[in-house]
Amino acid sequence: MAAPALAAAPMAKTPAPGWSRMMLGQFEVTPLSDGTVDLPVDKLLAQDAGKTRAALARAHLKPMLETSDNAYLVNTGSKLVLIDAGAGSFFGPTLGKLVANMKAAGYSPEQVDEIYLTHFHGDHAGGLVKDASAVFSKAIVRANKLEWTTG
């Protein structure tokens, strides 16, 4: 009869880094977590709020739902492109973790060549600045012309 292993190890007491990696064709994509925030999804979706609340109730969820805010760092082999920049400090202390997770993944904000903003909401563009300074000081920021002109 074999004895149990009893392989005790110290508790990490910290969450795993908020990033992972995957290949997409020739590109390496690193999803980065900026954190989570509770949002009233019944007021955010483009449908009747009652319909949204009913769907959430069927899934045993409440309208105030923990929502992830993520960005994606794409290594093309010749440059680093960040898709969206997270919320930064715009939505409180549960967000603003993108730079720390980027560093945990082995990159620094100064290495980012270009940032593509999907749209100008605070949870996608708020992480561009911190204390009135550019976070990604060497990056060119790009956005759709329609988004730029209509805000």
Side-chain angles (χ1 to χ4, degrees):
M1 182 169 193
L6 302 176
M11 298 276 183
K13 296 189 179 179
T14 57
W19 61 275
S20 62
R21 281 208 176 82
M22 67 180 116
M23 293 301 296
L24 181 62
Q26 297 298 313
F27 296 161
E28 181 182 66
V29 180
T30 304
L32 299 166
S33 172
D34 192 46
T36 64
V37 65
D38 290 341
L39 293 175
V41 294
D42 59 329
K43 294 182 172 85
L44 296 176
L45 298 178
Q47 71 176 10
D48 175 70
K51 189 175 183 179
T52 301
R53 285 191 295 274
L56 289 167
R58 285 191 300 276
H60 307 287
L61 298 171
K62 297 187 186 305
M64 195 60 104
L65 193 62
E66 184 178 21
T67 307
S68 295
D69 189 14
N70 302 304
Y72 301 87
L73 189 64
V74 180
N75 186 340
T76 69
S78 61
K79 61 182 167 182
L80 285 177
V81 177
L82 183 63
I83 301 172
D84 287 331
S89 61
F90 278 35
F91 289 86
T94 59
L95 293 171
K97 298 169 177 35
L98 186 130
V99 170
N101 287 325
M102 178 183 286
K103 289 178 179 178
Y107 297 100
S108 69
E110 297 79 23
Q111 291 178 283
V112 176
D113 297 298
E114 296 184 20
I115 300 170
Y116 300 163
L117 295 177
T118 58
H119 57 284
F120 286 166
H121 288 174
D123 56 333
H124 295 258
L128 291 173
V129 295
K130 182 175 182 180
D131 301 326
S133 296
V135 173
F136 306 95
S137 58
K138 298 179 181 174
I140 296 169
V141 178
R142 300 184 186 279
N144 181 293
K145 183 178 180 179
L146 182 62
E147 186 74 21
W148 179 258
T149 57
T150 62

